[in-house]
Amino acid sequence: MKTTPLITRRSALITGLASLGGLLLPGCSEPLPPTYGNILRMGDTLTYAAHRALLPGRSLAREYRPEDISSFPATGTTNPGDPANPKSSAEYRQLQQGAFADWRLQVEGLVERPGAYSLADLKRLPSRTQITRLTCEEGWTGIAQWTGVPLSRVLDAAGLRPSARFVCLYSYDDWADSIDLLDALHPQTLLAYGMNGRDLPVAHGAPVRLRVETQLGYKSMKYLRRVVVKDVFDDGGAQGNIQNGWSWYAGI
Ligand SMILES: Nc1nc2c(c(=O)[nH]1)N[C@H]1C(S)=C(S)[C@@H](COP(=O)(O)O)O[C@H]1N2
Ligand SMILES: [Mo]
């Protein structure tokens, strides 16, 4: 008896979402998130559809003044080289001991020129510095200055193939995540190697972390090791957001 209205409301909502997607289709090339169709991921669908419809793809996140820079806690993994950390990485520890001189970012998948970029290689590419706010899903925010190379510059250097649709990211503490090309090519999406005018500290993701200013903090992956361009959606499986109870799309 009790379940009938619920199911009805649910199907009405699904029908509503489907027609929302349909309505948006003509004006917007990617109105639905790749998680669309999964009843548990309806939040993704609503925010993704709304953002893609209402915000121009390139609208910038707010940037702040130097005097707005705030204290900034480090959360989640704060040192993948620490053997006490359950996700510790001996490889990371070794790179850290060598001041990251041997660190390389693998860039592969649907690119013309797959390769491995050292920190010096990334620093030779044009850089961008921005003062932005990180918003953590746990309810705190912090403002910092980030310096790095726009991810778009690295993807340009590697040469995106026409079928490219998603950029998958992998870290030394075993995170796997992905963003779509709209966010990957966004001018404020950085491979950041500097924070507040200094080298990026280990606690904040050294030597290089992602900054995705258009989404919540957990999408800004620290301790990057590999970038893989794909033509299919890959949620990262057991290492990804969804299986760890978070949305794939966390637009703000
Ligand atoms: N590799 C990795 N990236 C990560 C995390 C993590 O634990 N490991 N935590 C995420 C979360 S939940 C947030 S809010 C930000 C925090 O960045 P910070 O530690 O520099 O404050 O990093 C994100 N990126
Ligand atoms: Mo977070």
Side-chain angles (χ1 to χ4, degrees):
M1 280 289 274
K2 267 190 178 168
T3 52
T4 318
L6 224 177
I7 288 166
T8 312
R9 246 181 290 137
R10 230 183 223 189
S11 8
L13 187 51
I14 295 167
T15 316
L17 282 176
S19 48
L20 174 64
L23 275 176
L24 295 175
L25 268 171
C28 190
S29 60
E30 294 283 346
L32 296 172
T35 45
Y36 178 70
N38 179 338
I39 187 121
L40 299 173
R41 306 259 50 101
M42 284 199 302
D44 279 14
T45 305
L46 280 173
T47 42
Y48 192 88
H51 279 201
R52 293 299 183 248
L54 301 176
L55 303 171
R58 301 244 137 185
S59 70
L60 295 184
R62 178 168 172 199
E63 294 193 14
Y64 295 80
R65 300 162 305 169
E67 52 270 37
D68 297 324
I69 291 172
S70 70
S71 66
F72 208 105
T75 50
T77 305
T78 51
N79 184 359
D82 178 359
N85 181 325
K87 286 192 175 173
S88 82
S89 154
E91 201 182 335
Y92 184 87
R93 188 157 55 249
Q94 220 169 29
L95 294 170
Q96 190 180 355
Q97 279 162 2
F100 300 111
D102 296 329
W103 174 89
R104 297 289 182 276
L105 182 71
Q106 295 294 140
V107 178
E108 54 199 272
L110 294 170
V111 292
E112 303 293 345
R113 295 169 289 280
Y117 292 75
S118 68
L119 201 47
D121 293 335
L122 294 181
K123 287 182 177 173
R124 267 193 294 273
L125 291 168
S127 73
R128 190 180 203 282
T129 292
Q130 61 203 27
I131 301 174
T132 52
R133 181 191 296 274
L134 178 145
T135 302
C136 172
E137 80 296 345
E138 289 169 357
W140 58 270
T141 74
I143 296 176
Q145 183 200 60
W146 305 100
T147 299
V149 51
L151 177 58
S152 66
R153 296 280 188 171
V154 177
L155 296 174
D156 275 352
L160 279 183
R161 299 226 174 143
S163 55
R165 292 198 55 209
F166 296 99
V167 175
C168 301
L169 304 138
Y170 303 88
S171 74
Y172 279 98
D173 60 341
D174 273 344
W175 278 36
D177 199 1
S178 60
I179 53 177
D180 67 8
L181 275 194
L182 215 54
D183 279 338
L185 301 177
H186 187 280
Q188 289 168 316
T189 299
L190 304 184
L191 297 180
Y193 45 72
M195 182 182 186
N196 297 335
R198 312 167 71 152
D199 288 347
L200 184 66
V202 166
H204 295 288
V208 176
R209 78 176 300 164
L210 188 70
R211 286 294 310 143
V212 194
E213 308 297 355
T214 49
Q215 297 203 46
L216 285 179
Y218 68 81
K219 296 294 285 189
S220 286
M221 186 183 281
K222 308 197 281 188
Y223 316 111
L224 289 174
R225 69 183 304 168
R226 203 154 70 94
V227 169
V228 184
V229 178
K230 299 190 183 180
D231 58 358
V232 288
F233 175 60
D234 179 347
D235 68 12
Q239 275 77 46
N241 301 148
I242 294 175
Q243 286 194 31
N244 289 292
W246 294 351
S247 295
W248 171 78
Y249 185 70
I252 47 176

